[in-house]
Amino acid sequence: MSSKTLRRRLHHGDVDGKRQEHMDASGLDSLNEPLLGGDDYIENKKIRALEDLWDDERKKAQIHWTFVFSNLIAQWAQWLANIVIGSGSLLGRFLSLPSHALYLQNNTMLPTPLSPVQEERLRNLRQRLELPFDGSKTEHQDALLQLWKLAYPDRELPPLKSDLWKEMGWQGSDPSTDFRGGGFISLENLIFFAQKYPVSFQRLLLKQDGVRAEWEYPFAVAGINISFMLVQMLDLHAAYPSSLSGICFLRLLEEDEMAFDILFCIAFQMMDAQWLAKRATYMEFNEVLKSTRTQLERELALEDISSIKDLPAHNMLR
């Protein structure tokens, strides 16, 4: 996705009983949020995948050998710290740093060996990421209707194509057109949110907290963007996650198989808090999303985080 300014027409649906239809002009950046994407986004993604295929293979090999040599250096340093200097001294503590404390360029880190549990759970998560939403599949249709039941338990189910879906924050009458880069996992994230933290889910859906903007962000499409942002932030499409956030996340994934889904809930609640603090409007959604990502990265990097529920922002969920 190029960084130049693009224009997209977005149909926001009904907000506070008023039908909104606006032209959005905003500068897109490296996040590539599907909220502002269209056919160009999909085509560009395919082109980039072909162009980067060879680079990805070279990167795999480079990271593998760098990882091997870093482990050898780390083991030698550990031996030297224990035998020659002793772990009690300042220099000894420095030399006994684990291999994941060695930084590469661009705020990336050397990956640490994955435990069998991490490997299995990361593989399962990647399988979920590879599944696109397919509106022709019965199980995907059922999942969409399940989300409606959870959001509006006292209302009748609408047809799969209906203007009623706009009330949930889909951009048009057919929700299947809004998934784009988010995939089926973004729908699973929304369903998990509604089931695990129903109070927080309802408050965000109905915009019950704080003083709201006249032109609010669309709830459902915002959720798709958050899923998409998390995948990028955690470097989950890379052969070996090398971002600081990605490596920290692997530790949380080992403790809780649903760490990604819980992190989605945390990020959504955090995004809404940022939205209110900035008194943002629809046109500022991307800015709020970037602020949310920055705050998440800071919390994931805290030293005393050993479980997804240790993140400070988890306390906001109900």
Side-chain angles (χ1 to χ4, degrees):
M1 181 75 65
S2 65
S3 59
K4 64 183 181 179
T5 299
L6 302 178
R7 292 184 179 273
R8 294 282 187 272
R9 178 172 296 277
L10 298 178
H11 303 281
H12 176 260
D14 294 334
V15 178
D16 296 332
K18 299 179 181 179
R19 183 176 178 80
Q20 303 287 339
E21 188 170 295
H22 297 267
M23 181 72 74
D24 177 15
S26 62
L28 303 184
D29 58 14
S30 59
L31 284 178
N32 296 328
E33 291 90 353
L35 176 63
L36 300 180
D39 293 337
D40 291 342
Y41 166 79
I42 299 173
E43 292 302 320
N44 289 340
K45 184 177 180 181
K46 293 179 180 178
I47 293 173
R48 288 198 305 272
L50 292 173
E51 292 176 344
D52 294 343
L53 182 59
W54 176 243
D55 289 339
D56 287 345
E57 292 300 322
R58 287 192 301 175
K59 182 179 179 181
K60 287 181 183 179
Q62 182 181 12
I63 291 178
H64 170 74
W65 288 111
T66 304
F67 167 67
V68 171
F69 286 120
S70 70
N71 267 347
L72 291 175
I73 294 172
Q75 291 172 11
W76 176 83
Q78 182 71 60
W79 172 81
L80 181 62
N82 291 337
I83 303 300
V84 179
I85 300 176
S87 59
S89 68
L90 178 62
L91 184 56
R93 289 195 299 270
F94 171 77
L95 291 175
S96 62
L97 286 173
S99 60
H100 64 68
L102 301 175
Y103 282 82
L104 297 174
Q105 294 180 347
N106 301 322
N107 198 32
T108 60
M109 301 176 66
L110 296 174
T112 57
L114 298 183
S115 69
V117 173
Q118 287 175 319
E119 288 183 350
E120 179 183 2
R121 291 181 175 178
L122 182 59
R123 181 170 57 251
N124 293 340
L125 179 56
R126 282 174 170 162
Q127 289 175 351
R128 293 174 63 193
L129 294 175
E130 293 171 359
L131 182 63
F133 180 86
D134 187 346
S136 65
K137 291 185 176 181
T138 302
E139 56 267 33
H140 291 200
Q141 296 174 3
D142 291 344
L144 196 57
L145 295 175
Q146 180 186 8
L147 178 63
W148 179 275
K149 290 179 183 178
L150 292 168
Y152 309 109
D154 299 326
R155 297 176 60 177
E156 294 184 359
L157 288 174
L160 291 172
K161 294 183 180 180
S162 169
D163 284 343
L164 292 174
W165 288 102
K166 297 178 184 179
E167 297 180 23
M168 193 187 293
W170 302 98
Q171 295 183 81
S173 59
D174 183 1
S176 66
T177 62
D178 284 334
F179 285 95
R180 297 170 184 156
F184 186 66
I185 193 172
S186 57
L187 179 56
E188 291 180 319
N189 291 155
L190 286 167
I191 292 173
F192 178 88
F193 194 5
Q195 293 175 328
K196 184 72 172 180
Y197 306 103
V199 175
S200 294
F201 179 88
Q202 286 293 328
R203 294 191 70 84
L204 295 182
L205 171 67
L206 303 177
K207 307 291 184 4
Q208 294 178 338
D209 293 332
V211 178
R212 312 305 306 196
E214 291 185 8
W215 194 12
E216 278 286 326
Y217 64 84
F219 175 81
V221 178
I224 294 175
N225 278 265
I226 291 171
S227 297
F228 190 82
M229 177 270 288
L230 290 177
V231 173
Q232 289 191 316
M233 182 187 77
L234 302 176
D235 204 19
L236 293 178
H237 282 310
Y240 303 95
S242 57
S243 68
L244 176 59
S245 297
I247 291 176
C248 292
F249 172 74
L250 291 178
R251 183 174 66 252
L252 306 183
L253 186 62
E254 185 173 26
E255 295 297 322
D256 193 328
E257 187 174 9
M258 304 307 295
F260 183 82
D261 300 81
I262 298 175
L263 189 61
F264 168 86
C265 303
I266 293 173
F268 211 141
Q269 185 71 67
M270 184 185 292
M271 186 278 292
D272 191 73
Q274 292 266 359
W275 180 272
L276 293 174
K278 293 178 179 292
R279 298 182 179 179
T281 63
Y282 183 86
M283 300 290 286
E284 299 167 297
F285 178 82
N286 288 349
E287 178 185 343
V288 173
L289 194 61
K290 283 183 277 187
S291 298
T292 302
R293 172 172 175 163
T294 299
Q295 185 177 351
L296 274 175
E297 289 172 335
R298 289 171 181 164
E299 293 201 4
L300 285 169
L302 294 175
E303 294 183 358
D304 58 346
I305 302 299
S306 59
S307 167
I308 188 70
K309 296 180 181 179
D310 291 336
L311 294 174
H314 182 268
N315 295 326
M316 296 190 296
L317 294 173
R318 296 291 184 269

